Amino acid sequence: MALKILKADEPYVVEQLVSVIYGAPGIGKTTMGFSTKAPLLLDFDCGGYRGNIRGDLVKIKSWEDARVIEESDLEGYSTVIVDTVGGQIEYLQDWVEANFPKMKNANGLTISGWGKVKAEFNQWLNKLKRFGKDIVLVSHMDEIQTSDGVMQERLKIAGGAKAIVYQSADIMGRLYVDNNQTIFNCIPGEVSFGKCPGRPEPEGVPEITGESQFFHEFLARAKKHLNEMTAAQALVYQATNEMMEKIALLAEDPTVEGFNALSDELTKAPDVIKASCRQEFRAVAENANVSWDKETGLWWKKDKDVSPPSGVDAEVVKTAETDGKLAPVQQALLDENEGVPC
């Protein structure tokens, strides 16, 4: 078969999207998922009955149940809802531990084990997209308190899989209630996640009934925006996804050197990429117990003494009297790293 080459001036048509809806229990995540076109729900949590409306579903009892899905199984359906993606990851984790015993230790999966989870998860998503299906990943929300006392939202997903899910998503939005109105918000904030082509404003969610097409219409607008993007916008979108890929890789193997290198790269990135990636970078740093040191202009481990980078005298950095200015060795480090934490 001849290779189909898409020329640089030809449009890249987006037909399928992976979306994440997250929020507190009972907020309406599953119900909103059912407002897509011809949905089928894969029930990983045995809770498919909880939505205000209920469509067709499959009770998933092991990862093999989902792994063996074929295109013919999904005939007549346009959207696959995963409820919840946290439950899916737990099944995947159990599957890897059972089938690849060398990829686990006393603390659970090894780094290679989580790499296997990531590969299997992405292969499965890509298979569904090849079948021509939109995918909606439903996730519970968790909150943690940072070292600064700020409550930050998290997807309630085990281990390093949070980054895997974030990386795979084209759209991610939080469902919440404000002044008795349910809101879907895809704009990333200081304490919340968000991701969507075109960065639409927060949108009120109407009462969803069996005939509602709210999220189907939302996805249609997102696809329309993607397919109308200029070449420059497409490059920014691609660059943002590439930066998120690097952050996801850093989450899998968090090192101080890696944080400083990626912080420098993110600092130099355009503002639109910073706005989309800053929250995820900080969340990964918080999980790895790494914090920004204003004096040195570097990321350092919080929980134990860590030697400064090669060539820097620890005592000089620690004891230098600056009178509001950086000591020469600190200034040199700051200049090297652009001096601005991402």
Side-chain angles (χ1 to χ4, degrees):
M1 183 176 67
L3 189 65
K4 172 59 178 174
I5 298 175
L6 192 68
K7 300 294 186 180
D9 57 352
E10 293 179 327
Y12 187 106
V13 179
V14 177
E15 297 178 324
Q16 287 80 43
L17 292 174
V18 177
S19 308
V20 175
I21 303 172
Y22 80 95
I27 199 69
K29 303 182 295 296
T30 301
T31 300
M32 183 167 156
F34 274 124
S35 69
T36 52
K37 181 180 179 181
L40 175 68
L41 184 139
L42 303 184
D43 187 3
F44 285 88
D45 279 4
C46 299
Y49 59 88
R50 296 176 187 143
N52 293 336
I53 60 173
R54 208 216 81 187
D56 295 352
L57 62 79
V58 178
K59 293 182 179 179
I60 302 295
K61 298 181 180 179
S62 71
W63 175 239
E64 284 293 340
D65 291 346
R67 192 170 188 261
V68 298
I69 288 176
E70 298 295 340
E71 187 170 7
S72 58
D73 298 324
L74 302 177
E75 186 175 351
Y77 298 101
S78 300
T79 310
V80 175
I81 307 167
V82 174
D83 192 358
T84 64
V85 64
Q88 179 186 23
I89 294 296
E90 288 179 7
Y91 278 130
L92 241 176
Q93 184 178 354
D94 292 342
W95 178 81
V96 171
E97 290 181 355
N99 290 276
F100 303 91
K102 292 183 179 180
M103 291 185 176
K104 67 176 182 178
N105 54 33
N107 297 318
L109 288 182
T110 62
I111 291 176
S112 61
W114 282 112
K116 183 63 178 177
V117 168
K118 176 181 178 180
E120 184 77 12
F121 180 78
N122 287 334
Q123 287 173 9
W124 187 79
L125 288 183
N126 289 333
K127 180 172 75 169
L128 295 190
K129 287 196 286 186
R130 288 196 303 272
F131 294 164
K133 312 304 176 184
D134 284 317
I135 304 163
V136 177
L137 306 176
V138 174
S139 177
H140 294 308
M141 184 185 79
D142 200 3
E143 290 184 324
I144 66 165
Q145 188 171 18
T146 69
S147 56
D148 299 327
V150 178
M151 297 301 295
Q152 283 192 331
E153 296 173 1
R154 293 285 185 278
L155 303 182
K156 196 169 185 179
I157 299 172
K162 295 181 182 68
I164 299 172
V165 173
Y166 197 110
Q167 173 195 345
S168 68
D170 301 297
I171 292 172
M172 176 177 289
R174 177 171 62 113
L175 207 58
Y176 62 95
V177 174
D178 183 22
N179 197 25
N180 295 321
Q181 170 67 60
T182 303
I183 305 293
F184 184 61
N185 186 359
C186 291
I187 299 177
E190 290 296 320
V191 298
S192 60
F193 293 114
K195 190 179 185 183
C196 189
R199 294 173 65 86
E201 291 297 317
E203 185 170 349
V205 180
E207 182 179 357
I208 293 176
T209 65
E211 302 300 320
S212 296
Q213 294 283 288
F214 171 77
F215 202 49
H216 167 63
E217 293 168 358
F218 184 96
L219 295 177
R221 292 194 299 271
K223 292 175 186 177
K224 184 174 184 290
H225 175 84
L226 279 171
N227 292 329
E228 291 177 347
M229 285 192 339
T230 66
Q233 289 173 321
L235 287 173
V236 169
Y237 188 69
Q238 178 182 352
T240 300
N241 284 338
E242 289 174 354
M243 182 64 75
M244 290 303 305
E245 167 75 11
K246 293 177 181 179
I247 294 173
L249 291 174
L250 182 60
E252 294 176 9
D253 184 20
T255 64
V256 171
E257 293 80 7
F259 277 103
N260 283 307
L262 193 54
S263 175
D264 184 46
E265 185 175 344
L266 188 52
T267 296
K268 297 174 182 177
D271 289 342
V272 65
I273 296 177
K274 289 180 189 175
S276 298
C277 301
R278 180 186 292 116
Q279 171 67 11
E280 176 65 6
F281 183 90
R282 290 176 175 172
V284 170
E286 186 71 27
N287 286 339
N289 215 21
V290 174
S291 63
W292 174 259
D293 184 81
K294 293 181 180 179
E295 291 186 352
T296 61
L298 295 169
W299 292 85
W300 294 49
K301 274 283 188 183
K302 298 182 197 175
D303 56 349
K304 57 184 178 181
D305 293 333
V306 178
S307 300
S310 177
V312 179
D313 189 319
E315 288 304 309
V316 172
V317 174
K318 182 177 179 181
T319 63
E321 295 292 332
T322 63
D323 294 327
K325 299 181 180 179
L326 293 174
V329 66
Q330 296 170 317
Q331 187 62 58
L333 284 170
L334 201 60
D335 292 341
E336 181 181 345
N337 288 273
E338 295 296 309
V340 181
C342 64

